[in-house]
Each structure stands twice: as structure tokens, then as C-alpha cells.
Amino acid sequence: MYTKSKLTDEDGMEKEILTFGPVSILPEYQRNGYGKMLIEHSMKRAAELGYEAIVILGSPANYVSCGFQCCKKYNVCVEGGKYPAAMLVKELKPGTFDGRKWYYSESPAMIIDEREAQAFDDSLEKMEKKWMPSQEAFYIMSHSFVE
């Protein structure tokens, strides 16, 4: 799922970009290239629609093969000027980033009210909640910063 997000430079100029995630492939189809095919197809379509960049939060191991790079290489940071290790940038239009510092703002669609989410979960058939190793790896990456 893609959502619109934005980058703002130090002078207040805004650039509408895209964010996606997570990409989910059924376990029996993982490691067959389907996720990469979906990402590559969607990036091509995003470029055709005129978007210049995509910023995501994800494991670099899953996305660098699709051309995503460390946010610090493009001077894209979060509030406070930090560069999360899990924040990755894909330039769809060469030259989009010109050395200015850009601040990433996620889509309002990504802001979750934990109480509403819990109420929704409680309305569903009960399932065992699991904490997978990949979730712990992402937690570590998303709370680490590149200097």
C-alpha cells in the first residue's frame, strides 16, 4: 500500500512523495522474487505518475536490491535532524535531491490510535499474537541512527 507523504526543506518548501509498506508475501511464496517484482512494478508506476521519490522505513536487507539507499546519502532526516538506520530513499527522478536538508513527514494515514486498534483487534476472532525475529530486527533498526 502506498500513501502520500512529504519532504520539507529548511526554507519550508514541500515536496510530495510516496511511502509504502509493509510488503507482505505469503510464507509459501517468499524468497521467489515476488516482493521485488511488486516493488519494481509499483516504482515504475509511481514514476509514470510524476512522483520523484519514495521514502520508506524498512530493513535495508530487504530493499537495497531494489535501489533504496540510506537516507543520509540524500540528506533526508526526521524531526531533530536524525537519520534513522531503517529510513531508506529511492530517487525516481535523477537529481531530485540537490544537497539540501529534507525533513520527512509520514502520511497521516500511518498514525495509529492504539486504543482504536486494540478495540478493532478485540472484535476479531482471537488468535495467538506472535513476536517474530524479523519484528525485533526492525525494532532495532528503526530505533538506531546513522551518524
mmCIF file of all heavy atoms in Angstrom, residues 41 72 123:
data_model
loop_
_atom_site.group_PDB
_atom_site.id
_atom_site.type_symbol
_atom_site.label_atom_id
_atom_site.label_comp_id
_atom_site.label_asym_id
_atom_site.label_seq_id
_atom_site.Cartn_x
_atom_site.Cartn_y
_atom_site.Cartn_z
ATOM 1 N N HIS A 41 7.542 -2.968 -10.037
ATOM 2 C CA HIS A 41 6.389 -2.553 -10.841
ATOM 3 C C HIS A 41 5.767 -1.280 -10.263
ATOM 4 O O HIS A 41 5.452 -0.343 -11.004
ATOM 5 C CB HIS A 41 5.343 -3.672 -10.895
ATOM 6 C CG HIS A 41 4.086 -3.266 -11.584
ATOM 7 N ND1 HIS A 41 3.985 -3.182 -12.964
ATOM 8 C CD2 HIS A 41 2.883 -2.873 -11.092
ATOM 9 C CE1 HIS A 41 2.767 -2.768 -13.275
ATOM 10 N NE2 HIS A 41 2.080 -2.579 -12.164
ATOM 11 N N LYS A 72 20.659 9.172 4.720
ATOM 12 C CA LYS A 72 21.706 10.189 4.912
ATOM 13 C C LYS A 72 22.400 10.536 3.597
ATOM 14 O O LYS A 72 22.837 11.668 3.398
ATOM 15 C CB LYS A 72 22.722 9.727 5.949
ATOM 16 C CG LYS A 72 23.667 10.839 6.343
ATOM 17 C CD LYS A 72 24.397 10.575 7.606
ATOM 18 C CE LYS A 72 25.218 11.816 7.952
ATOM 19 N NZ LYS A 72 25.959 11.625 9.187
ATOM 20 N N SER A 123 -12.487 -7.131 18.337
ATOM 21 C CA SER A 123 -13.711 -7.501 17.628
ATOM 22 C C SER A 123 -13.502 -8.700 16.695
ATOM 23 O O SER A 123 -14.461 -9.244 16.165
ATOM 24 C CB SER A 123 -14.246 -6.314 16.823
ATOM 25 O OG SER A 123 -13.447 -6.077 15.672
#
